[in-house]
Structures are given as C-alpha cells and as structure tokens.
C-alpha cells in the first residue's frame, strides 16, 4: 500500500472538506470551491464530484486543488492535520561507492528517457480510460431503460468493467512511480486494445448518425 492509499484508508473527501471549512448539507452536497458556485452542486463522500464543472477525485486530489499544492504536499498536510499514524519521510540511502561519472550520466539520461516515455503513456492512457468510462456510464443509463437490458452486450460490458476501469484510473492518477511503471508493463496492451475498440465503435456511431441525417 502506497502513501496515498494509506491516507485514503483513514480520511475521506467528506472529512477533509469538513476539516477545511466547506459547508455540507444533509445530502452530502456542497457549493463547489473550484468554480463560482452559488447552489450546492458538488457531491462529497468517499470521493467528490461536481455536477456543474466536472471536478472530481479523491481526498488527496481535493486537498491539492483546494490549497493549490502538489499531491505529495497535500498528503503531508492531511497526515499533519488529521494526526495520521503514517510516515511520509523519504528514505535516506546510505552512501555507496562512487561511480564513474560518464557512466552515471549515461544511466541518468537513460532513466530520464524511460521515465518520460512512461509519463507520456500514462497521460494518454488516462484519456483513453476516461473516455471509455464515459461510454460505460452512458451504456448503463441508456440500456437500463430497455425491457431486458441484460440481453444488451454493451450493458453487460458496462456492469463488468466499470469497477475495473475506476481501479485502473486510481492507479494512474494516485499511484507511486513504481506502481505506474508496473501498470505500464502489465496493462499497456489492454489499454491499446480498449483504444482501438473505442475508435472503431465511435466511427460506427458517427456512421449511423450520418445515415440518419441522409435519410
């Protein structure tokens, strides 16, 4: 369990919002602090979601946005403000033998290149999975009104994959560098397959719309 996961096991977005002075009504709704909101449009519980501006995330993201700080700084703030029994200090490494300077520079450039590659892929993967999650939610709502939604392939897909895709996004958005690197190694083909299938599906939807317009 990484630092962010430990904090989320102790504190919810709702608790953080109350701690930091956000007024929340009985329905767990509040005026969104991230846009000029005069009527409660943000739902806050374990996580938060604003129905007006679309801001969403977990307790780490909420604190980070609220105070304009990095997610790591937000994690440290939550640990301090809630007195959590979590250590956030970076590990100190014992000094080792000095390395050849040229070799060290080459290795540093290699690691920087790999890190950038994974970061670029992560940003792309977040977009792919977020778009897919939007379709999943649309399928659930659209097909649930059918007489027998369980006969619909996309409705079953939505029920089967919604939780998994949320977990994937949680890893990409809040996981440690090691977790994201491992996710890249394990799931990049699955993400690529999802992207290809969604491209084909969306082209099919557009073609159906064109046919309707021509008809």
């Amino acid at each position: 369990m990484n630092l962010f996961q430990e904090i989320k096991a102790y504190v919810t977005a709702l608790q953080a919002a109350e701690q930091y002075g956000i007024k929340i009504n009985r329905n767990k709704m509040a005026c969104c602090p991230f846009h000029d909101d005069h009527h409660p449009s943000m739902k806050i519980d374990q996580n938060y979601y604003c129905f007006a501006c679309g801001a969403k995330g977990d307790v780490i993201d909420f604190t980070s946005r609220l105070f304009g700080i990095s997610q790591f700084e937000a994690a440290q703030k939550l640990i301090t403000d809630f007195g959590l029994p979590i250590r956030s200090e970076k590990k100190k490494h014992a000094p080792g033998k000095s390395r050849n300077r040229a070799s060290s520079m080459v290795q540093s450039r290699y690691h920087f290149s790999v890190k950038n590659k994974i970061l670029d892929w992560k940003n792309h993967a977040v977009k792919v999975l977020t778009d897919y999650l939007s379709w999943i939610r649309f399928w659930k709502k659209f097909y649930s009104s059918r007489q027998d939604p369980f006969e619909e392939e996309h409705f079953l897909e939505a029920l089967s994959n919604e939780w998994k895709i949320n977990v994937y996004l949680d890893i990409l958005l809040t996981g440690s560098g090691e977790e994201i690197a491992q996710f890249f190694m394990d799931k990049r083909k699955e993400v690529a397959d999802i992207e290809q299938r969604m491209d084909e599906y969306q082209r099919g939807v557009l073609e159906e719309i064109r046919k309707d317009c021509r008809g």
Side-chain angles (χ1 to χ4, degrees):
M1 183 180 291
N2 65 32
L3 175 64
F4 289 176
Q5 290 170 329
E6 284 188 81
I7 292 171
K8 288 189 287 184
Y10 283 103
V11 185
T12 66
L14 176 64
Q15 291 170 317
E18 291 175 330
Q19 171 75 11
Y20 299 132
I22 305 296
K23 294 182 179 180
I24 301 168
N25 66 27
R26 290 180 300 175
N27 296 321
K28 298 182 180 178
M29 297 292 294
C31 287
C32 176
F34 308 128
H35 77 281
D36 187 18
D37 194 10
H38 300 288
H39 302 285
S41 61
M42 176 179 282
K43 179 73 172 180
I44 311 181
D45 200 346
Q46 183 71 29
N47 298 314
Y48 73 93
Y49 178 76
C50 178
F51 294 95
C53 72
K56 61 181 178 179
D58 55 30
V59 62
I60 307 291
D61 183 74
F62 181 86
T63 306
S64 172
R65 284 180 182 234
L66 190 64
F67 292 97
I69 56 181
S70 71
Q71 292 206 344
F72 182 72
E73 290 171 324
Q76 291 179 311
K77 180 172 180 60
L78 288 164
I79 290 171
T80 300
D81 293 348
F82 283 87
L84 303 180
I86 299 173
R87 296 185 63 183
S88 64
E89 296 87 352
K90 296 181 180 179
K91 293 181 179 179
K92 296 181 180 179
H93 299 280
K97 296 180 179 179
S98 60
R99 298 180 178 181
N100 178 274
R101 185 176 180 181
S103 174
S104 178
M105 289 176 65
V106 170
Q107 188 176 34
S108 295
R109 286 197 295 269
Y110 171 76
H111 286 304
F112 181 76
S113 175
V114 171
K115 183 177 180 181
N116 275 356
K117 179 181 178 181
I118 293 177
L119 179 61
D120 289 343
W121 176 86
K122 172 199 140 180
N123 293 335
H124 180 69
V126 167
K127 183 181 184 308
V128 169
L129 295 178
T130 301
D131 290 346
Y132 181 42
L133 188 60
S134 295
W135 278 112
I136 283 175
R137 289 169 176 166
F138 170 77
W139 292 334
K140 277 182 64 179
K141 184 176 182 179
F142 180 78
Y143 290 111
S144 62
S145 61
R146 297 287 179 91
Q147 185 174 0
D148 192 353
F150 290 96
E151 294 294 324
E152 302 290 344
E153 178 184 350
H154 287 121
F155 183 76
L156 294 176
E157 180 179 346
L159 295 181
S160 175
N161 288 346
E162 183 175 21
W163 180 84
K164 179 180 74 171
I165 299 303
N166 274 306
V167 171
Y168 286 1
L169 285 169
D170 187 54
I171 293 171
L172 289 171
L173 292 171
T174 65
S176 66
E178 289 183 3
E179 288 174 323
I180 293 171
Q182 188 63 49
F183 186 88
F184 169 76
M185 295 174 64
D186 294 342
K187 303 296 182 183
R188 65 184 183 275
K189 184 179 184 305
E190 183 178 351
V191 172
D193 289 343
I194 290 172
E195 180 178 20
Q196 181 180 354
R197 202 167 68 76
M198 285 297 96
D199 284 344
E200 293 171 355
Y201 174 78
Q202 288 172 147
R203 284 198 297 269
V205 171
L206 288 174
E207 184 58 32
E208 289 296 322
I209 293 173
R210 291 191 187 101
K211 287 180 181 178
D212 289 342
C213 290
R214 288 195 295 267

